[in-house]
Amino acid sequence: MQTALVIALSLHVLSSVFWAGSSFALARTGAAGGEQLVGPQLGAATIAILTGGYLGHLVHSGSFGAAEQVLALGAVCALIAAGIQAAIGPRALLSLRRGTREAADVRSRIATAQRVAAALLAITALCMGAARYV
């Protein structure tokens, strides 16, 4: 059980740091190079969400106290962020590859998605930190 916990925690932290960090960077730079990170971000988001659910099951099953409620709020924000990125990113890439939209318009759409996702992921990070003290 401890080995599974360490592996899940490591995967969760590494994928979450990449996902949030790349979202923050793309939000700040106006999605410069964002088309290359759509796939890796969605992969990292998937791993982060799955391992987060597994960690929640291992560590917090059986109770829904204040700490679990704060973590649930963070999880909901992460799910919304992943949904926004999944809804906008691949569609923007398709339109870029087909040539139906200009590159500046596509980057603008990706940047908007990244800004919203970055704000939601910041809330998620705050919830994960605050859950220890509630």
Side-chain angles (χ1 to χ4, degrees):
M1 167 111 144
Q2 292 224 355
T3 303
L5 180 67
V6 169
I7 291 170
L9 185 61
S10 298
L11 287 173
H12 184 68
V13 169
L14 290 171
S15 60
S16 298
V17 166
F18 173 77
W19 180 26
S22 61
S23 295
F24 296 150
L26 288 173
R28 179 75 175 116
T29 62
E35 54 272 4
Q36 286 91 5
L37 287 175
V38 169
Q41 273 189 323
L42 292 177
T46 302
I47 292 169
I49 289 168
L50 291 176
T51 56
Y54 181 66
L55 287 169
H57 171 72
L58 280 181
V59 180
H60 298 282
S61 64
S63 68
F64 197 65
E68 288 79 16
Q69 291 173 13
V70 171
L71 287 172
L73 173 64
V76 167
C77 288
L79 287 169
I80 294 170
I84 289 170
Q85 287 176 324
I88 294 177
R91 217 179 292 161
L93 273 181
L94 275 174
S95 63
L96 184 65
R97 288 184 182 149
R98 289 181 183 161
T100 56
R101 293 184 181 220
E102 290 188 26
D105 182 41
V106 171
R107 281 195 187 89
S108 172
R109 292 182 63 178
I110 293 173
T112 301
Q114 296 296 338
R115 287 182 184 113
V116 173
L120 289 166
L121 291 173
I123 294 169
T124 299
L126 288 171
C127 287
M128 287 191 329
R132 299 183 142 258
Y133 304 105
V134 183

